[in-house]
Amino acid sequence: MRIPVSSAPHPLSRFWAPIWFRFGLVGFAAALTDLAFGITWALAVGLAGLGWLIGLHLYYLRKIALWIERPDGTAPSVELPAAYGAWATVFADLRRARRREDKERDQVTETLNRFIEATSALPDGIVILDRGGLIEWCNPSAEKHLGLNLKRDRGYLILNLVRQPPFTEYLMRADFAEPLTLADPVAQITLSVQLLPFQESRRMVVSRDITPYTRVETIRRDFIANVSHELRTPLTVVGGFLEQLIDQPDIAESQRQRIEAIMLDQTQRVERLIEDLLTLSRLETHSGPERETEFQARLLVEAIAIEAKALSDGKHEINVDTEPLTLTGSQDELRSAFANLTSNAVRHTTSGGMILISFGSHPEGAHFTVTDNGPGIAPEHLPRITERFYRVDKSRSRETGGTGLGLAIVKHALARHGGRLEIESEVGRGSTFRAILPMSRVH
Ligand code: ADP
């Protein structure tokens, strides 16, 4: 940083003039004494005058020496005294130079502090290494990412402190164009670490927490694997049967009919899966409900109950209890959420079970609740039950035509309406799924 120097140097005449003036004064006094008292007294006066001048200069020199010393490195220990003549000019210049230096130092300190504050707020970690790989400085994010402590570790070799073999290998490499991905199983974070050379042989280690990105990547990979698996199973069944039909054209009629029924069932399963995937993707794409209207919820609940009874085909006792409330929202999305809850109760409850569908006001707004006395869900499954493709009993879910996406659809559809899903369940006793909508959606 450069501070503009405003004052021009003093002309030398301003420095020399008072010196010559004082020497002239001493000479003049000696000459006068010579005239009045003779040469001896004149010499005495001349020497006394010179002694006074030398003493004065030594006094000022001592003051300067003390003033320059600055024992604590900040404020001068001694103030420069008021001076006369040439010393006044010198002192003024010195004071000005010191003020300039102080100002420069303050500005550098302020810039440095601002830089440290800014880097402290950075989510990325930065470690500055000297030529030998010793830690010179690091910010708090680097302390967190790499388990460093600036106060304790300054001046130590980074390789001795971050003792992960991939990190050591990376630092030994000559090519740092690509960052290193470093997984810390203890802290359960994944870091991207890159070494950036600067100032010839100095280096900077930049670390970034990429855990959220790796999590998204894992979810994406799992999702693709799940969808592929879900599609492959029915396609394998259909493919196998088609081969059989081609190989055995004169297959018995009853067997052909059985095969055709299975193939139809499997293709319907693929269709349902694709439908659910499209619904889920629509729900995830937009943040708010699509085509919002005000509608009589009772009619919707009754229609859903009729569908549930059709699906049950008389195997369950299904009761309905609704209040006449008007809702605002996407009828399609709420129908999808409510219908998934009732179809789950029908599909997962064994024949002879009881299902109660109720709709009405709730302290938070309104609720749509489905209670069954089916198998129930063990507590360890509850936190993950709304994840895509998460099933407690995979084969039962598939046998009953489930796609494993129903509760994920319910969760998303409710969230888009500002609502939430509440689940109470006990193994062997049954489950209660409660969709709660906020007051702003109820009239
Ligand atoms: P699925 O298509 O398999 O029903 P869902 O996402 O709708 O998928 O449900 C996820 C899992 O939650 C189901 O596989 C089942 O194990 C469990 N589940 C959902 N509803 C019930 C219920 N009413 N009773 C018992 N288990 C249920």
Side-chain angles (χ1 to χ4, degrees):
M1 184 186 320
R2 230 165 240 288
I3 309 287
V5 179
S6 55
S7 55
H10 290 286
L12 278 181
S13 56
R14 278 188 62 192
F15 178 77
W16 287 112
I19 293 179
W20 289 129
F21 173 72
R22 281 186 192 162
F23 276 107
L25 207 64
V26 172
F28 182 65
L32 277 183
T33 314
D34 184 29
L35 284 178
F37 305 105
I39 189 70
T40 313
W41 283 104
L43 280 173
V45 166
L47 282 174
L50 282 177
W52 169 70
L53 280 178
I54 289 168
L56 188 71
H57 290 316
L58 287 176
Y59 167 76
Y60 284 143
L61 276 175
R62 189 179 132 70
K63 284 285 174 199
I64 289 178
L66 287 173
W67 181 78
I68 283 176
E69 212 171 79
R70 242 192 216 215
D72 59 352
T74 52
S77 56
V78 174
E79 271 307 312
L80 284 177
Y84 301 100
W87 286 106
T89 312
V90 171
F91 282 10
D93 282 352
L94 283 174
R95 282 196 199 96
R96 204 172 304 121
R98 164 110 353 137
R99 271 202 301 276
R100 206 163 50 226
E101 186 195 305
D102 285 352
K103 202 168 161 190
E104 268 183 20
R105 199 198 51 231
D106 287 350
Q107 286 190 357
V108 169
T109 311
E110 199 188 311
T111 309
L112 193 67
N113 285 341
R114 223 177 301 139
F115 172 77
I116 289 173
E117 265 172 41
T119 48
S120 297
L122 270 183
D124 289 355
I126 299 172
V127 187
I128 307 282
L129 303 179
D130 72 1
R131 288 179 174 77
L134 304 181
I135 296 173
E136 271 190 350
W137 179 84
C138 71
N139 69 350
S141 295
E143 291 186 313
K144 200 169 109 202
H145 291 164
L146 303 171
L148 301 173
N149 180 321
L150 183 58
K151 275 195 196 127
R152 186 191 61 203
D153 301 334
R154 179 179 268 146
Y156 283 90
L157 206 58
I158 192 163
L159 284 176
N160 288 344
L161 299 166
V162 183
R163 300 186 72 96
Q164 290 207 44
F167 184 73
T168 313
E169 276 165 33
Y170 180 73
L171 247 64
M172 296 298 180
R173 252 191 256 162
D175 177 18
F176 306 113
E178 289 296 315
L180 163 78
T181 303
L182 207 60
D184 185 341
V186 182
Q188 294 204 324
I189 60 168
T190 306
L191 294 175
S192 163
V193 178
Q194 191 161 19
L195 202 94
L196 305 174
F198 75 108
Q199 277 189 350
E200 292 180 17
S201 54
R202 292 168 134 248
R203 287 169 301 171
M204 179 185 340
V205 179
V206 179
S207 59
R208 174 170 294 179
D209 183 355
I210 55 164
T211 319
Y213 306 107
T214 49
R215 229 173 259 150
V216 169
E217 183 54 24
T218 311
I219 291 172
R220 194 187 66 84
R221 258 203 314 265
D222 287 354
F223 181 68
I224 290 173
N226 277 323
V227 172
S228 314
H229 178 75
E230 295 291 330
L231 287 172
R232 196 188 300 124
T233 316
L235 285 177
T236 311
V237 174
V238 172
F241 279 132
L242 278 175
E243 266 175 30
Q244 193 182 347
L245 290 179
I246 292 165
D247 291 348
Q248 303 169 5
D250 46 0
I251 195 168
E253 188 54 27
S254 59
Q255 203 178 346
R256 174 185 293 275
Q257 278 176 5
R258 193 183 64 83
I259 287 174
E260 281 170 355
I262 297 173
M263 290 201 302
L264 184 65
D265 184 53
Q266 293 298 319
T267 47
Q268 282 170 347
R269 185 174 150 193
V270 174
E271 242 174 44
R272 269 198 309 276
L273 179 68
I274 289 170
E275 239 170 62
D276 276 2
L277 281 171
L278 289 174
T279 305
L280 202 55
S281 135
R282 248 196 332 270
L283 292 176
E284 283 177 342
T285 313
H286 308 281
S287 53
E290 273 178 10
R291 290 188 297 277
E292 286 200 46
T293 51
E294 213 171 89
F295 58 93
Q296 262 299 325
R298 180 175 228 158
L299 299 176
L300 175 70
V301 175
E302 280 168 1
I304 287 169
I306 291 170
E307 278 171 28
K309 283 175 186 165
L311 185 66
S312 160
D313 199 18
K315 294 191 194 90
H316 307 90
E317 186 189 324
I318 300 178
N319 293 301
V320 191
D321 175 17
T322 61
E323 280 177 39
L325 294 180
T326 307
L327 292 180
T328 309
S330 160
Q331 224 180 129
D332 286 348
E333 290 177 18
L334 291 177
R335 167 189 278 273
S336 179
F338 297 167
N340 264 303
L341 294 180
T342 51
S343 92
N344 273 355
V346 172
R347 289 188 301 105
H348 296 291
T349 305
T350 41
S351 291
M354 280 173 39
I355 295 165
L356 173 65
I357 301 168
S358 59
F359 173 78
S361 45
H362 181 273
E364 287 175 37
H367 76 101
F368 175 87
T369 307
V370 183
T371 306
D372 63 56
N373 61 355
I377 304 161
E380 66 267 23
H381 295 294
L382 288 179
R384 298 194 58 193
I385 204 88
T386 56
E387 281 176 23
R388 294 178 290 192
F389 298 115
Y390 190 88
R391 292 141 158 152
V392 177
D393 182 343
K394 279 197 178 64
S395 56
R396 170 149 189 88
S397 163
R398 290 206 184 100
E399 268 166 33
T400 57
T403 60
L405 296 172
L407 290 181
I409 291 174
V410 174
K411 192 176 94 175
H412 275 91
L414 291 178
R416 283 154 65 90
H417 287 79
R420 64 190 175 88
L421 178 66
E422 217 175 63
I423 309 169
E424 289 156 25
S425 192
E426 205 179 315
V427 176
R429 302 201 67 151
S431 315
T432 297
F433 286 78
R434 187 173 294 112
I436 300 170
L437 290 168
M439 211 59 94
S440 56
R441 300 260 165 211
V442 189
H443 305 282

